[in-house]
Amino acid sequence: MTLDSRIPPGPIAEKWDSHRFSMKLVNPSNKRRFEIIIVGSGLAGASAAATLGELGYRVKVVTFHDSPRRAHSIAAQGGINAAKNYPNDGDSIHRLFYDTVKGGDYRSREANVHRLAQVSLNIIDQCVAQGVPFAREYGGLLDNRSFGGAQVSRTFYARGQTGQQLLLGAYQAMARQIALGNVELHNRTEMLELVVKDGRTAGIVCRDLITGEVFSLSAHAVVLATGGYGNVFYLSTNAKNSNVTSIWRAARQGAYFANPCYTQIHPTCIPASDDFQSKLTLMSESLRNDGRIWVPERGDDDRVAGQIPEGDRDYYLERRYPAFGNLVPRDVASRASKREVDAGRGVGPMKNGVYLDFADAISRLGAPVIEERYGNLFQMYERITGEDPYKTPMRIYPAVHYTMGGLWVDYNLMSNLPGLFVLGEANFSDHGANRLGASALMQGLADGYFVIPYTIGDYLAPLLGEKPVPSDDSAFAAAETSVHDRVSALLSTNGTKSVDHFHRALGKVLWDNCGMGRTEQSLDKALSEIPAIREEFHRDVRVLGDGESFNQSLEKAGRVADYLEFAELMCLDARHRKESCGGHFREEYQTEEGEALRDDENFAYVAAWEWLGVGREPTLHKESLEFESVQLATRSYK
Amino acid sequence: MSEKMHMELKVWRQAGPGQPGRFVTYDAPGVSPDMSFLEMLDLVNERLVEDGEEPFAFDHDCREGICGSCGLMINGQAHGPERATATCQLHMRKFSDGDQVTVEPWRAAAFPVIKDLAVDRSTLDRIVEAGGYITVATGSAPDANLIPIPKPVADASMDAAACIGCGACVAACPNGAAQLFTSAKLQHLNLLPQGQAERWDRTISMVEEMESFFGSCTNHGECEEACPKSISIDFIALLNRDYVRAQLKQRRLAGQSFP
C-alpha cells in the first residue's frame, strides 16, 4: 500500500486555505445523522468533542478517567506557542513554522507544521474568549515569555499551570455540549479494541472499568486522542495511567505506526530516590539560566557538595561547551549528564544525578532574587526531596517526557484506515524528531478545535444516508470475544510476579538500550530481551481479583501487555534508522562535537510500520519528506 | 541513605458500591522516608500481591498534585497532615517510625465508594455541566487582546481557577458541602469580563445543581484548610453575593420591581 499524505498543491502558505475550499461539506441539518466516537479527553480530545458536538454531530467520548478533566494535558507547565507577534519582536507564522521544522530536526511534514503555525493565532483567541486566565501585563494585555529553540517571545502562559487552564477551557466547552445532549460521556471506560469492517473503521470495543462489562460502540468515524507512550519506559514524567493501548490496538488492526523511536528526554528532572520510585517529576528547564551543573572530579568523592572545593569539581557543560555552557539544547544536556553518571561520577544516595548549583547565583544576586525567579520550583523540589536548594545544590537527571512518534496520519489527520482519525501526541505529524517547548499544547488544540472539524466532514460527506455498522454485527462480536479472552487469560495466569515487576523490567531494558543513546549493539540486546520478558509475563504474571468489578491490576496488566509488544517495534525502528536526529541519538552517528549527525540522503522519510503479528517482522512503508520552504541544514544552536 | 521506617496501616476495604466495608490492618516495614505516600501504598500493595491478597484500589494519576485524581483521608485529615499538599505530594518523612496511619476514602453522601479507597466524584462534573463555562462557539472569538483585563482581576480569576477538582473540600466539610469547589469555578468565570453575559444564569444553575447533591455550607472553613491549592474561602462569600444578586435580577425579569 502506498502512503498518500494528501498534501494539497500550491504554495505552502495557501495550502490550508485552498484545501478548506476543496473539501466536501456536510450541511448543518445532516450533521446529526453522523456519529463520531472520540477516545481520550485531553486537549485534543476535549477540544474536538466540544467543537464537533457544537457543529451538530452526535459525539460519544470515551475516557478511562473518572472525569475528563484529569487527562494528562493538565500537567503541562510552561506554556503554549502562538505567532501572535504581540511583543513586536519579529515573529510571524512563517517564523513559527520555520522554528518548528528546524527544532524537529527536519523530520516533520512541512505542510502540517505550516497549518499548525497558522491556526496558532485562533487558539489564543478561542482560549481567551473561554476565560482561560493567561498571564497579563499591568496594562491588561497578554504577557509572553521566551522558550527554548526560539529567538522571539511567543509563549502564552498561565503561571506554571498552562496545561491545566487550557484543558479546563476545553473540558468546560465539552461539559456544555454534554449538558445539551450533543456529547455522550463514557467515563471510567477503556477502549480495548478497534473494529474495522470492509476496509472502514466501524467502532470500538470498551470495558466499563467499574462493572467490567465489555461492550461495543459503533460510529461513522473514530477519533483517537489518547496521548503518548512515554510510560513504556516505566519511569517517565507522564501520569501513571498514560498508555499506548488505544493506538496499539489500532496498529494491530492495520493502522501504521510512524517513527516510534522518536522519544524526548528532558534534562532537568528529579532523579529516582529508590527502587520503588513510581514516576519522575519535571523541573522547568528555565532553572538552567542561573544554575551551574557539575559533578565531583572523582567518582568516590563522598563529601557533601558544599565541602567539595572548586578544584575538585567538574563543570562539564561549561568545560565542553564554553559558548553555550549550561544552556546547551535539551538533548545535548541530557546526553552529557548520562555520560557523567555512567562514568561513576553521579551524585546522591543512588549516584544517579548531577548537581544543579545555585550558590554562585545566590551570592551574586541574593536569595530574594532567586526566590522571585524560581521560588515555586524550589518549594516543589524541597517537598519531594526534603532538601533545601537554597542551601545544597539540586540533584537532577534526564527523564522521558514526550513521544514524537505515533500513528501515521495524512494531512487530514486520518490514518491509513479510512474513518480512523488521530490527534495530538497520539499522532506523529508535527514535531518531527524533537518537539520544542510549549508546542504540545498548541498541537493538541490546533488538531481538536481547528483541523478535525473541517477534515472529518470531507470523509463523512459521501457517507450520507449510510448507517454505521450495527454494534451487534459479527465484527463487533469477534472483537468482544477477543477482549474477553485477553481479560480471562490475564486473570487465569496465576503466576508469581506482579504486573509492575514486568513493567519495571521492560523499562530498564529500554532505558539502558533505547534511551538517550542507542547503538546497533544495544538495540540488538533490547530486541533479544524484550520477547523473553513478554513470554515470562504471559506465563508468570499474577493478577488478582476478578473481571467483573473495579480491578486496577487488571487494567495495568492489559496496558503492560501492549507495551511489551509495542516496545519491540520501537527498538526495531531505532535500529533501522541509521542516523541521529533530534531525540533519536545513535552513538555511531555523531559529529566530532557529539552532535546528532543526520543522513538526509537516506533517511529523510517517515517510517510507517505495518504490524503483522507478534514475533513477525513488521513491514516498513516510507513517506518521503519534501522540503520546499525550509532549506535542509545542520541544526546548530552555537 | 535514610533509615527505613516501620509503619502500621489501617486501610478501609470495601468490595463495591453499597457493600459493607471494614478496616484491615497491614504491617508496613521497610518504608523509605523519601517515598511519597502513594509509593508507600504501592509498596504495601506489591506485597499483598506477593501474598495472594487483592491489592486495595485507590485513584491516582499524575502524581504531581495537578490532576486531582488522588485523595485520601489520612488520619482523619483530607490529603494528610501537610498543608496545601495533595496526597501524591505528601512524603513519608512527614511521619515517624512506628506510626499507625489510618487511610480512608473521601466520606460524603455525594461521593459513593466504588471500591476500597476509590470514590465516584462525577457529581462535581454535573455542577460544571450546569453552567461552569463561557459559551463561545469555536472560531467565533475576537482577537485575544481586544479586551484588556486588569492584572489583579486576571490574577484573582487564576487563583480560583487553580482548583484541581479533587473533592477534598467536600470530604473535609462536616456537612459534605461543595461550596468551595463551586465557588472556585464560578468566580474563575464571574470575575472576568468574558464571563459577564452568563453570570447570573450561571450562578443560579450551578448553585442549584450543587444543592441537589451536596450539603449546605455553615462556614466551618475546613474546606480551605484541606485544599491542596489553598483556594480561599473568600470565593464562597463572592458566590453568596452573586447568588443573592442573581435571585433579585431573576425576579426583576419576572416583572417585579425593586428599589
Side-chain angles (χ1 to χ4, degrees), chain A residues 283 377-385 387 394-395:
Chain A
M283 300 298 288
L377 294 167
F378 277 37
Q379 229 173 23
M380 179 157 86
Y381 182 85
E382 187 175 3
R383 194 172 285 158
I384 292 173
T385 62
E387 293 170 3
M394 282 186 179
R395 287 176 291 114

Side-chain angles (χ1 to χ4, degrees), chain A residues 54 128 171-172 188 542 550, chain B residues 49 115 125 138 185 194:
Chain A
E54 189 176 275
V128 167
Y171 154 75
Q172 288 163 199
R188 292 207 194 255
R542 175 181 284 185
F550 192 55
Chain B
V49 173
K115 189 174 181 177
D125 289 323
T138 305
K185 184 43 60 202
Q194 305 93 302

Side-chain angles (χ1 to χ4, degrees), chain A residues 243-266:
Chain A
N243 65 78
V244 77
T245 288
S246 68
I247 53 175
W248 185 244
R249 288 285 131 197
R252 288 178 59 109
Q253 295 302 317
Y256 296 168
F257 209 114
N259 303 333
C261 76
Y262 291 165
T263 51
Q264 183 170 74
I265 317 272
H266 197 290

Side-chain angles (χ1 to χ4, degrees), chain A residues 51 54 65 67 84 86 125 128 131 140 159 171-172 188 240-241 278-279 384 498 504 542 550 552, chain B residues 39 46 49-50 58-64 93 115 125 132 138 143-144 149 159 165 185 188 194:
Chain A
T51 307
E54 189 176 275
H65 291 284
S67 163
K84 279 286 196 185
Y86 286 154
D125 299 341
V128 167
R159 294 190 187 149
Y171 154 75
Q172 288 163 199
R188 292 207 194 255
K240 287 294 285 176
N241 297 310
S278 60
K279 75 156 281 167
I384 292 173
S498 71
R504 274 193 291 265
R542 175 181 284 185
F550 192 55
Q552 292 170 314
Chain B
E39 282 164 359
E46 190 94 344
V49 173
E50 271 170 37
F58 61 93
D59 275 321
H60 66 95
D61 199 23
C62 78
R63 299 202 175 192
E64 290 182 16
R93 66 182 75 90
K115 189 174 181 177
D125 289 323
T138 305
D143 185 84
I149 302 177
D159 288 343
K185 184 43 60 202
H188 158 212
Q194 305 93 302

Side-chain angles (χ1 to χ4, degrees), chain B residues 215-227:
Chain B
S216 303
C217 171
T218 47
N219 293 317
H220 279 267
E222 292 288 339
C223 50
E224 180 183 301
E225 203 62 27
C227 177

Side-chain angles (χ1 to χ4, degrees), chain B:
Chain B
M1 185 172 67
S2 347
E3 292 294 312
K4 299 280 186 198
M5 310 194 298
H6 194 139
M7 322 291 295
E8 188 181 89
L9 291 191
K10 271 176 70 183
V11 179
W12 182 259
R13 305 283 328 230
Q14 181 173 336
Q19 305 220 30
R22 68 199 168 96
F23 281 106
V24 179
T25 304
Y26 297 105
D27 190 37
V31 171
S32 155
D34 291 329
M35 281 179 177
S36 71
F37 194 83
L38 298 185
E39 282 164 359
M40 184 273 295
L41 296 185
D42 290 341
L43 173 72
V44 174
N45 264 342
E46 190 94 344
R47 290 179 187 153
L48 287 184
V49 173
E50 271 170 37
D51 296 344
E53 187 179 339
E54 197 181 339
F56 41 80
F58 61 93
D59 275 321
H60 66 95
D61 199 23
C62 78
R63 299 202 175 192
E64 290 182 16
I66 192 75
C67 76
S69 299
C70 67
L72 298 169
M73 288 305 263
I74 300 166
N75 289 337
Q77 280 180 290
H79 288 304
E82 194 174 359
R83 275 208 73 169
T85 303
T87 303
C88 61
Q89 295 282 281
L90 174 66
H91 281 69
M92 294 312 293
R93 66 182 75 90
K94 298 286 167 188
F95 296 85
S96 307
D97 187 30
D99 277 359
Q100 191 190 62
V101 184
T102 305
V103 191
E104 294 171 81
W106 287 162
R107 306 278 191 195
F111 293 163
V113 170
I114 290 173
K115 189 174 181 177
D116 301 329
L117 304 170
V119 299
D120 179 358
R121 288 167 289 192
S122 40
T123 39
L124 297 180
D125 289 323
R126 300 293 92 77
I127 296 175
V128 175
E129 287 159 17
Y133 47 76
I134 291 171
T135 298
V136 43
T138 305
S140 61
D143 185 84
N145 257 349
L146 199 63
I147 310 166
I149 302 177
K151 187 167 159 46
V153 172
D155 284 348
S157 170
M158 179 66 209
D159 288 343
C163 167
I164 59 173
C166 62
C169 48
V170 176
C173 176
N175 306 330
Q179 247 79 1
L180 192 63
F181 169 82
T182 308
S183 68
K185 184 43 60 202
L186 200 61
Q187 295 310 319
H188 158 212
L189 303 171
N190 282 6
L191 286 169
L192 293 171
Q194 305 93 302
Q196 297 311 304
E198 294 163 296
R199 179 173 180 178
W200 311 114
D201 284 347
R202 171 189 305 122
T203 305
I204 288 183
S205 346
M206 287 180 71
V207 169
E208 285 175 359
E209 188 74 8
M210 169 186 79
E211 286 180 339
S212 68
F213 299 114
F214 293 90
S216 303
C217 171
T218 47
N219 293 317
H220 279 267
E222 292 288 339
C223 50
E224 180 183 301
E225 203 62 27
C227 177
K229 295 294 155 188
S230 300
I231 307 276
S232 167
I233 200 170
D234 290 353
F235 290 118
I236 298 181
L238 293 174
L239 173 147
N240 290 333
R241 178 200 66 177
D242 278 6
Y243 187 65
V244 170
R245 287 171 69 181
Q247 291 289 7
L248 287 170
K249 282 178 192 292
Q250 221 179 33
R251 294 179 70 176
R252 187 180 295 153
L253 289 172
Q256 299 189 27
S257 62
F258 279 85

Side-chain angles (χ1 to χ4, degrees), chain A residues 278-292:
Chain A
S278 60
K279 75 156 281 167
L280 298 169
T281 302
L282 181 82
M283 300 298 288
S284 168
E285 73 181 43
S286 63
L287 290 168
R288 287 196 281 145
N289 283 307
D290 284 307
R292 296 180 71 195

